[in-house]
Amino acid sequence: MKKLNELLYKAKMISVTGGDLELTVTKIAFDSREVSKGTLFVAIPGTVVDGHDYISQAIKDGASAVICERLPEDIQSGVTYILVEDSNKALAIVASNFYDNPSSKLKLVGVTGTNGKTTIATLLYTLFKNLGYEVGLLSTVVIKVGDVDYNATHTTPDSLTINHYLNEMVEAGCEYCFMEVSSHGIVQMRTHSLEFDGGIFTNLTHDHLDYHKTFAEYRNAKKAFFDQLPKGAFAITNVDDKNGLIMTQNTGATIKTYGLKNVADYKAEVLESQFSGMLMKINQREIWVQLIGLFNASNLLAVYAAAIQLGVREEDALLEVSKLTSVAGRFQYVVSSKKVTAIVDYAHTPDALKNVIETINSIRTYNEKLITVVGCGGNRDKTKRPEMAQIASELSNKVIFTSDNPRFEDPVVILEEMEKGVEPQNTMKTIVVEDRKQAIKLACQQAEAGDIILIAGKGHETYQEIKGVRNHFNDLEIVTEFLEQ
């Protein structure tokens, strides 16, 4: 419980109408269905639903104060209305104040970019956990408070949820928290008012153009995160990405760079690669790691850099990096008794898919086939569909196009849009099997000893979303089952 005026500390208010700024707030909600007596209701103008349409309902259900971007025509007595320019920003501020600004009580590091966010944040969580610290994680896959796991619904949750879990971490004695920061989260102010000790930029490729409309908008959303980092923080950026130095142009944080190709503060190269791991050289020190692929070499380098910036000794950081294993749904593989290797990966962007297939191709002997099973999600960026199909059909021996999470789109239409990207010389390599389970089964039936099956797009997900319903579906479970039949 907090006084309303305490919650509004640092919030930019245009006006206050009626009621009392000294009233006690028992709860904050931006969903009218969550309102009860003593709630501060924040009306958020959404793309589908506008919270301003639910103000009267929220008051009926017990809201004693309302934050809004436009005042309702019917001003009710006994209710405090706070008019603001940006409800999302105000929500972030009051959420942080409600939980006594938990981000200031631990070392919070944000990871942003198109690919690699989950891997880097999760590996940092594991590294610091292995060093004996209490650690928190906010990721696409899971939210962790120490050893306790909670379900994750968004890459970057809403600001109320973020502050709730950060507060749980503080109460559990966590010293560090690593979190994924999505472009949606930045634009929608979900990370506003959080005190970050550091930020990491991975890369920027084709994604989310259904939301941001242009690549420049998408890039600027990511850059805004670094613009807002405080002076005492660090900004670690990937100089192998052409947008790496753009990210840190206007940051007040200490800039550190990492890269495999270009001159950087943290430099690495891959000396040897096998399916079991890689021999890497990091800042002139050789190390065997258990992940594979240039993209993972880059991820591990970012993890190493962050660990050093957070005060870990070089020797300890190298030792811990060598112990790290792959994250759920990120280049996870099983080998069947018939010696068929199946790899499950979350690659759902053109660049990520290309990285994964090129990694496989760099290790294999070409005496075996690479069979790729891939689809594209519904109600998401449509422009990447033909591009992903082109990459898969160009770089694989056989490709099975299938359904991903069609959501509210017709999977047949999605698959037709993918097929448009296949060049004539690659048509004979491809087949369409709409049912994802049957597509995986066909790949297993076609694979012979030594062959490699890549199942891309869903990775760690344990469901398939069709017309608003999430049905249990796990790529790794299904391929393991079919491989042994």
Side-chain angles (χ1 to χ4, degrees):
M1 291 195 298
K2 283 272 193 301
K3 297 282 187 195
L4 180 57
N5 56 8
E6 291 178 293
L7 295 180
L8 293 168
Y9 174 63
K10 288 189 176 177
K12 288 185 180 175
M13 297 173 283
I14 296 170
S15 66
V16 179
T17 304
D20 175 18
L21 286 175
E22 289 287 325
L23 64 85
T24 299
V25 173
T26 55
K27 182 181 181 182
I28 300 167
F30 59 91
D31 183 336
S32 61
R33 294 167 296 186
E34 301 288 323
V35 170
S36 55
K37 195 173 186 303
T39 297
L40 165 60
F41 177 65
V42 185
I44 305 285
T47 49
V48 179
V49 177
D50 189 344
H52 291 78
D53 298 336
Y54 295 87
I55 290 174
S56 59
Q57 185 60 50
I59 292 167
K60 271 184 202 166
D61 292 337
S64 50
V66 175
I67 289 176
C68 52
E69 292 182 12
R70 59 180 190 276
L71 289 170
E73 290 177 14
D74 177 23
I75 298 291
Q76 301 196 26
S77 62
V79 177
T80 308
Y81 297 87
I82 300 106
L83 187 65
V84 297
E85 269 184 24
D86 189 327
S87 294
N88 279 302
K89 191 181 279 191
L91 175 64
I93 292 166
V94 297
S96 185
N97 288 335
F98 188 79
Y99 289 104
D100 294 321
N101 195 15
S103 63
S104 67
K105 298 172 185 172
L106 35 71
K107 288 194 178 293
L108 177 64
V109 177
V111 187
T112 196
T114 306
N115 303 313
K117 296 188 295 295
T118 302
T119 297
I120 291 171
T122 306
L123 294 180
L124 278 166
Y125 166 87
T126 305
L127 187 149
F128 277 82
K129 194 84 186 148
N130 290 346
L131 285 171
Y133 295 100
E134 284 299 316
V135 194
L137 173 69
L138 288 162
S139 85
T140 303
V141 179
V142 68
I143 294 169
K144 285 178 175 281
V145 178
D147 293 318
V148 183
D149 291 4
Y150 299 92
N151 288 334
T153 55
H154 293 77
T155 298
T156 305
D158 63 82
S159 43
L160 259 181
T161 304
I162 292 172
N163 280 283
H164 165 77
Y165 282 114
L166 289 178
N167 186 56
E168 294 272 309
M169 291 172 197
V170 170
E171 290 186 350
C174 292
E175 295 176 63
Y176 297 90
C177 173
F178 301 100
M179 76 175 280
E180 292 185 53
V181 179
S182 68
S183 53
H184 293 68
I186 297 163
V187 170
Q188 294 169 10
M189 297 290 169
R190 296 180 215 160
T191 55
H192 182 75
S193 86
L194 298 180
E195 294 185 24
F196 285 94
D197 291 88
I200 301 168
F201 171 70
T202 62
N203 48 62
L204 204 64
T205 63
H206 193 151
D207 202 15
H208 300 308
L209 299 191
D210 54 318
Y211 180 82
H212 295 289
K213 306 308 176 199
T214 68
F215 189 81
E217 256 185 58
Y218 178 45
R219 182 192 63 212
N220 292 341
K222 300 287 188 189
K223 182 179 177 294
F225 170 69
F226 293 94
D227 292 349
Q228 291 155 18
L229 287 177
K231 268 194 174 173
F234 60 80
I236 298 173
T237 192
N238 179 5
V239 288
D240 290 343
D241 188 284
K242 62 185 177 187
N243 293 288
L245 294 177
I246 292 173
M247 290 295 136
T248 54
Q249 273 176 348
N250 304 107
T251 189
T254 300
I255 300 166
K256 293 291 177 184
T257 58
Y258 72 99
L260 304 179
K261 302 172 191 167
N262 297 303
V263 176
D265 298 309
Y266 295 96
K267 184 89 167 74
E269 61 179 309
V270 176
L271 304 176
E272 187 185 318
S273 252
Q274 300 169 16
F275 274 121
S276 58
M278 300 180 286
L279 181 63
M280 283 178 69
K281 188 185 276 188
I282 298 180
N283 284 7
Q284 302 307 312
R285 305 279 292 274
E286 286 190 13
I287 172 179
W288 180 263
V289 297
Q290 297 177 56
L291 280 71
I292 65 169
L294 289 175
F295 61 98
N296 270 326
S298 186
N299 291 338
L300 287 169
L301 188 56
V303 168
Y304 174 78
I308 301 298
Q309 293 307 125
L310 288 166
V312 178
R313 289 171 60 244
E314 281 186 28
E315 287 75 11
D316 294 337
L318 286 168
L319 180 62
E320 294 305 328
V321 165
S322 74
K323 295 177 188 173
L324 297 171
T325 54
S326 65
V327 175
R330 270 67 178 172
F331 218 97
Q332 259 188 304
Y333 71 94
V334 290
V335 182
S336 76
S337 55
K338 296 172 188 168
K339 299 290 182 254
V340 174
T341 301
I343 298 162
V344 171
D345 194 90
Y346 188 53
H348 62 286
T349 66
D351 189 64
L353 185 64
K354 187 171 185 238
N355 283 340
V356 170
I357 298 178
E358 284 184 344
T359 294
I360 295 167
N361 287 342
S362 70
I363 296 168
R364 71 191 186 100
T365 64
Y366 284 84
N367 293 319
E368 68 290 276
K369 297 191 300 290
L370 169 60
I371 305 168
T372 298
V373 179
V374 65
C376 289
N379 302 108
R380 294 293 185 269
D381 184 356
K382 295 181 179 185
T383 60
K384 65 184 181 185
R385 292 171 185 173
E387 203 177 329
M388 288 181 68
Q390 190 275 324
I391 289 164
S393 58
E394 182 67 33
L395 300 177
S396 313
N397 297 103
K398 290 187 178 182
V399 181
I400 304 169
F401 295 133
T402 190
S403 190
D404 189 283
N405 291 319
R407 300 184 177 88
F408 291 96
E409 276 196 75
D410 182 347
V412 173
V413 174
I414 296 171
L415 289 163
E416 284 171 355
E417 289 178 359
M418 288 184 72
E419 285 186 282
K420 288 174 186 171
V422 180
E423 292 175 4
Q425 69 271 24
N426 295 321
T427 308
M428 296 297 289
K429 293 185 189 178
T430 68
I431 185 171
V432 174
V433 179
E434 184 190 330
D435 185 298
R436 191 174 182 90
K437 189 169 185 176
Q438 291 305 313
I440 294 170
K441 183 179 183 180
L442 178 62
C444 294
Q445 288 170 339
Q446 290 188 345
E448 298 169 340
D451 287 351
I452 300 158
I453 300 168
L454 169 65
I455 304 167
K458 287 172 54 57
H460 65 280
E461 293 176 352
T462 55
Y463 61 84
Q464 187 175 35
E465 190 175 334
I466 303 167
K467 297 199 183 312
V469 178
R470 289 188 170 188
N471 306 291
H472 179 76
F473 199 101
N474 184 315
D475 284 350
L476 194 64
E477 272 178 19
I478 289 166
V479 74
T480 304
E481 175 194 331
F482 283 135
L483 278 177
E484 295 307 335
Q485 280 182 6

